[in-house]
Amino acid sequence: MRLIALLFAFAAAQALAHNPSDSYLGLVVDGPSIEGQWDIALRDLEVVVGLDANGNGEISWGEVRASHAAIASYALARLTLRSGASACPARVTGLLVDEHDDGTFAVLRFVATCPDSVTNLDVDYTLLFDIDPQHRGLLRLEHAGATRTAIFSPERSRQSFELAQPSRWQQFLDYGREGVWHIWIGFDHILFLLSLLLPAVLRRTNGRWEPVEAFSPAFWNVFGIVTAFTVAHSITLSLATLGAVALPSRLVEPAIALSVVLAALNNLRPMFYARRWVVAFLFGLVHGLGFANVLKELGLPQGALALALVGFNLGVEAGQLVIVGAFLPVAFLLRGTAFYRQVVFFGGSALIVLVAGIWLVERSLDVQLAIFAAATRPTVGSYDNMRDMLVIASAVRTAKMVVEPLHRSTAVIYSLAALRGQPPPPTRHLLRATLVHDTQYTVPNGHLVSG
């Protein structure tokens, strides 16, 4: 009884805080030299560094450039690279801004030099962990044509890597581990799964929920749901990772939140009780696109593409089975109690609807609701005033699709200025940051990033 209550309390507390932030750290090791690129969200840097110098709720390209030293100092103080017992000091070589699916990021480029050729690399990553325990650092480590991946968290802030050519089995295990870890920190996926599992130990009779009489019907109910969800998200995970399907995160993430809302609402007002496996399959297609976004950020080794994809997918399934294995026996034992039906089933479903509804609003409007912002982010300088302005102005972002042609026109102007070696015009976009580089403007991937 306490296990289920604690599970819901923990998931709700973590989920209500805010959507977890990520940074993307790429390291390329060549002999004693390590070239690095670190993408850190501007929304996170605003909290810890204070990019909005004039406190007007907008971040301009000039403000990002003026904060170059502060950004570099803050970031490198929270990343330690060591080869054996020797430190590998790093120095910043450039600052860019790039657009990811989940927002605008500062791109910090640096070089670290070790005393000797690196054979074992220790990485100590502590960015934002002191203020945001949900933050994750996604590492892509390249050496001699091989790729390794890892995810840093407060519990796994220090990790070691042997740079000998990894075997295919090692790559398979690496991606499998990241798949397990991703499902365990993916609270939206967990709550969707729980929404489908909650009624598995109950049956609908004459408009009422009654406990099942034996474990077998509950087991096969769960088996069908989990199998359908697994098959569905495996399909879209594979297709999206291989580039056959592509949807932007700004569409996928709200759709995932909506799927959680609908699955939990179905427990409160049943609409499709008999064929919940169909619901699991249809919404599983959407969740697979969410898994793919993470896998693409981690990167796939081209020499072992299928192996890494299968490893990550099986890791997701293994993490999912652990959740099911922990939940189902306890739920079955409690199925006949008023506590399960009233508190866990109805109360838990209502709580999931609330949490996922908040996600839906935040992800659709790209804001953090003010009621939770104050409780989950520290005050830094004039950040409270900026947060208020962001919340008030958030509705403006819903009109982004309308003004997108104007934004594209601005990007053309920036591109022409870049080609001519001239600075861009001092145009500001509400709630958007503009591309900045210390000495030049760049055109990554064939188009100028202006967001």
Side-chain angles (χ1 to χ4, degrees), residues 1-5 7-8 194 196-202 211-212 214-215 218 222 323-337 339-341 344-345:
M1 185 178 299
R2 287 184 176 180
L3 175 62
I4 293 182
L7 179 62
F8 272 102
L194 288 176
L196 298 176
L197 293 178
L198 283 171
V201 295
L202 303 174
V212 296
F215 184 77
V222 170
I323 296 170
V324 173
F327 176 85
L328 185 58
V330 179
F332 181 76
L333 292 175
L334 298 176
R335 71 195 187 285
T337 65
F339 171 79
Y340 185 83
R341 290 195 299 272
V344 177
F345 181 69

Side-chain angles (χ1 to χ4, degrees), residues 104-120:
T104 309
F105 284 63
V107 179
L108 199 66
R109 290 180 176 171
F110 61 90
V111 173
T113 304
C114 305
D116 300 301
S117 185
V118 181
T119 56
N120 291 276

Side-chain angles (χ1 to χ4, degrees), residues 257-305:
L258 179 62
S259 73
V260 180
V261 170
L262 294 178
L265 275 177
N266 188 57
N267 295 339
L268 302 177
R269 297 182 63 86
M271 294 172 285
F272 30 75
Y273 168 71
R275 296 183 179 273
R276 284 182 299 120
W277 67 269
V278 176
V279 177
F281 181 85
L282 293 177
F283 287 137
L285 295 173
V286 178
H287 284 250
L289 295 174
F291 293 143
N293 285 336
V294 173
L295 187 54
K296 284 188 290 187
E297 293 292 354
L298 280 172
L300 283 170
Q302 295 303 309
L305 186 64

Side-chain angles (χ1 to χ4, degrees), residues 83-280:
S83 175
S86 303
C88 304
R91 60 180 179 84
V92 173
T93 58
L95 178 66
L96 298 158
V97 170
D98 198 0
E99 186 83 12
H100 287 249
D101 283 343
D102 51 346
T104 309
F105 284 63
V107 179
L108 199 66
R109 290 180 176 171
F110 61 90
V111 173
T113 304
C114 305
D116 300 301
S117 185
V118 181
T119 56
N120 291 276
L121 181 65
D122 295 329
V123 182
D124 192 352
Y125 177 110
T126 59
L127 183 79
L128 295 170
F129 289 157
D130 54 339
I131 66 168
D132 185 357
Q134 293 189 61
H135 175 77
R136 299 293 180 261
L138 279 65
L139 171 69
R140 177 184 172 92
L141 175 62
E142 298 181 33
H143 171 69
T147 301
R148 303 280 299 274
T149 64
I151 299 179
F152 292 96
S153 67
E155 298 78 22
R156 300 169 64 195
S157 62
R158 180 176 298 176
Q159 300 186 43
S160 298
F161 305 91
E162 290 187 12
L163 298 186
Q165 182 74 17
S167 65
R168 289 181 174 270
W169 175 246
Q170 182 61 52
Q171 289 181 310
F172 177 82
L173 291 179
D174 284 345
Y175 279 89
R177 183 182 65 249
E178 303 313 334
V180 172
W181 186 245
H182 177 68
I183 192 69
W184 284 354
I185 65 175
F187 297 109
D188 44 6
H189 306 301
I190 291 176
L191 291 189
F192 176 76
L193 190 59
L194 288 176
S195 297
L196 298 176
L197 293 178
L198 283 171
V201 295
L202 303 174
R203 56 188 173 88
R204 191 78 173 167
T205 305
N206 297 325
R208 295 171 54 87
W209 290 103
E210 301 291 342
V212 296
E213 297 177 355
F215 184 77
S216 179
F219 172 81
W220 289 112
N221 191 349
V222 170
F223 179 83
I225 290 171
V226 172
T227 300
F229 184 63
T230 297
V231 171
H233 71 64
S234 297
I235 292 172
T236 47
L237 169 61
S238 301
L239 291 176
T241 303
L242 297 175
V245 175
L247 283 178
S249 179
R250 67 177 182 273
L251 298 180
V252 173
E253 294 304 319
I256 290 175
L258 179 62
S259 73
V260 180
V261 170
L262 294 178
L265 275 177
N266 188 57
N267 295 339
L268 302 177
R269 297 182 63 86
M271 294 172 285
F272 30 75
Y273 168 71
R275 296 183 179 273
R276 284 182 299 120
W277 67 269
V278 176
V279 177

Side-chain angles (χ1 to χ4, degrees), residues 8 198 264 342-353:
F8 272 102
L198 283 171
Q342 299 299 323
V343 177
V344 177
F345 181 69
F346 287 109
S349 296
L351 182 60
I352 291 173
V353 170

